[in-house]
Amino acid sequence: MAQKNLRVMVAKPGLDGHDRGARVLARSFRDAGYEVIYTGCHQTPEQIVEAALQEDVDLIGLSCLSGAHKHLFPRVVRLLDERGAGDIPVIGGGIIPDKDISYLYEQGIREVFTPGTHIQTIIDWIEGNVTPREAL
Amino acid sequence: MHKDQTDMSTAERIRGGDIRLASRLIRNLEDKNPRAREVVKELFPWTGRARVLGLTGAPGAGKSTITDHLISSYRATGHTVGVLAVDPTSPFSGGAILGDRVRMQKHAEDKGVFIRSLATRGALGGLAAAVDDAVHVLDAMGMDRIILETVGTGQSEVDVMNNAHTVLLALTPGLGDEVQTLKAGIMEIADLFLINKADQKGASKLYQELMRMLNMVSEHHSGWRPPVLMLRDIAHPEDFAQQVEELRAKIDEHYQVLVDTEVLAQREYRKARLQFLNSLRTSLLDPVVHELEESGELKDIVQRIADKRSDPHTLADELRSRFLR
């Protein structure tokens, strides 16, 4: 009857004010039919996780251009686990050196998208890997 | 698992502060999941304690910023706060950018604050219904102040605002003639007018226009003449916070007037009536539409009307005599 919308959070952890990429993605996700919760810059992992719980999101997309991804991304995953929400997939993007990607996978980041990735590639990944939460 | 047990534990867990589950319930309400209605039935006895503030205004009027500061003010005096922030759904893709949290993220980790964003999803009645129930959910969770924030442009928002005890309309200088166009809808239901960004040019002109409009009202219900407040100098946090305190005092004063004049009871009656009619519509209409969709009959009906072979009223009346008997 009613459509079920995917709820996706786009957040920028850490001290990094370069949000153009995150905004472009948020807009693209909107155009793909998702409900996008955009929380802006300078977020702590704690803020991101609490917002994700309050918004019941199906996916968290993190953007980081500051170089602190190896610290911030895994911390979001760990905090989600601690709050009993380890089922929410986390993906990341930004300036991520190739050599760091396997470490991020090990830490539970589901996918990493680096500069030059076509937006449709990201949306295809979401379509293939993320479904709206089951009803109560 | 037995259905009733599941529902009961869901309601209890939500009342116990499980925010993710509460958020899921709101989502299921938006999706019109019939099981979500069952949970709301269980939560309902615990509702009725929260004071609900409706905050509306044009995009960019500063609603989220005002909400952010009101949260701080309420928290400073020990209240718990629930926020429902409504943003529009794209009519083309069905997606939405829910960006109100950007201004409120400093409260993200505060356990006494629960912020939930909602998309309008294009369905006006549907939004009103989901918001009705979302207010009940937050209320049952023990949030004693609820802020309902929505872009206000006309009639549909008036419906949503019927949930609120106090309606606050945020305006900014420079609207000019747009104020006139607002008059018929949202301007009539505001209990408080707020001129935000009042350090900008045109604030005093807007103030005068509002005064003129209010002067033309022959009788203010319950004797409450909506005050016009100003917010300025957000760059000076202490001054701004002080103005927000004055705003909050006016909100509290209005609620007291509602209590003293029995208008509160009238508003509760009006709210109950609307919510019942919404729910009745859902429980009568949704199964019918569902059946027509499943059987493919809906398509035929619509095509017949589109081809001018029949009219919507005749076919609706036919269906009524078939289903309602």
Side-chain angles (χ1 to χ4, degrees), chain B residues 75-229:
Chain B
R75 290 299 289 149
T77 46
H79 291 292
T80 50
V81 188
V83 176
L84 295 171
V86 183
D87 267 336
T89 294
S90 160
F92 299 110
S93 72
I97 302 258
L98 309 173
D100 292 322
R101 290 193 79 98
V102 173
R103 309 267 174 254
M104 308 176 202
Q105 268 299 82
K106 71 163 175 276
H107 303 290
E109 287 177 73
D110 182 345
K111 300 280 180 241
V113 179
F114 177 26
I115 301 167
R116 175 61 154 78
S117 313
L118 289 97
T120 56
R121 297 199 176 181
L124 303 177
L127 169 70
V131 168
D132 288 351
D133 281 334
V135 169
H136 291 320
V137 173
L138 266 52
D139 192 351
M141 288 175 83
M143 298 295 158
D144 49 26
R145 294 290 182 274
I146 294 173
I147 302 173
L148 174 55
E149 181 191 324
T150 177
V151 171
T153 49
Q155 200 58 44
S156 58
E157 289 76 17
V158 174
D159 279 354
V160 174
M161 286 298 133
N162 276 320
N163 272 297
H165 295 113
T166 301
V167 177
L168 173 60
L169 176 62
L171 301 163
T172 49
L175 285 172
D177 282 348
E178 288 171 44
V179 172
Q180 305 288 330
T181 62
L182 282 165
K183 265 180 189 170
I186 213 91
M187 294 293 260
E188 290 172 295
I189 63 159
D191 300 303
L192 283 97
F193 292 92
L194 181 65
I195 301 175
N196 193 27
K197 311 182 192 181
D199 30 4
Q200 290 182 6
K201 199 173 150 236
S204 60
K205 180 169 173 277
L206 176 57
Y207 182 85
Q208 286 160 14
E209 278 183 22
L210 289 172
M211 282 298 160
R212 202 173 298 137
M213 184 194 79
L214 290 167
N215 288 342
M216 282 167 64
V217 179
S218 51
E219 193 184 357
H220 294 284
H221 48 260
S222 68
W224 173 266
R225 179 187 161 114
V228 181
L229 293 139

Side-chain angles (χ1 to χ4, degrees), chain A residues 1-7 9 23 26-27 29-41 43-44 46-48 50-58 83-88 131-136, chain B residues 6 10 14 19-21 23-25 27-28 30-33 35-36 39 89-90 93-102 105-111 113-119 121 286-287 289-290 293:
Chain A
M1 212 187 302
Q3 61 184 21
K4 286 187 177 53
N5 290 58
L6 212 59
R7 289 174 71 84
M9 185 166 158
R23 287 184 192 208
R27 168 64 196 266
F29 291 162
R30 185 200 86 177
D31 291 344
Y34 309 152
E35 292 182 355
V36 185
I37 291 92
Y38 182 67
T39 55
C41 302
Q43 301 291 297
T44 65
E46 285 81 359
Q47 286 176 318
I48 289 168
E50 290 308 316
L53 294 172
Q54 292 182 20
E55 298 287 355
D56 187 34
V57 297
D58 303 303
R83 300 284 275 118
D87 56 306
I88 302 177
T131 46
R133 303 282 120 187
E134 288 295 312
L136 288 170
Chain B
T6 318
T10 301
I14 288 172
I19 50 169
R20 193 180 179 199
L21 200 60
S23 189
R24 179 79 45 87
L25 172 61
R27 174 183 189 147
N28 294 160
E30 292 179 284
D31 289 338
K32 298 191 173 214
N33 180 328
R35 303 229 319 139
V39 181
T89 294
S90 160
S93 72
I97 302 258
L98 309 173
D100 292 322
R101 290 193 79 98
V102 173
Q105 268 299 82
K106 71 163 175 276
H107 303 290
E109 287 177 73
D110 182 345
K111 300 280 180 241
V113 179
F114 177 26
I115 301 167
R116 175 61 154 78
S117 313
L118 289 97
R121 297 199 176 181
D286 283 6
V289 175
H290 186 67
E293 270 177 346

Side-chain angles (χ1 to χ4, degrees), chain B residues 295-313:
Chain B
S295 67
E297 200 184 343
L298 186 64
K299 241 180 169 173
D300 295 338
I301 290 174
V302 174
Q303 196 59 55
R304 277 167 71 193
I305 300 166
D307 294 343
K308 305 288 176 198
R309 282 180 283 138
S310 186
D311 67 279
H313 303 304

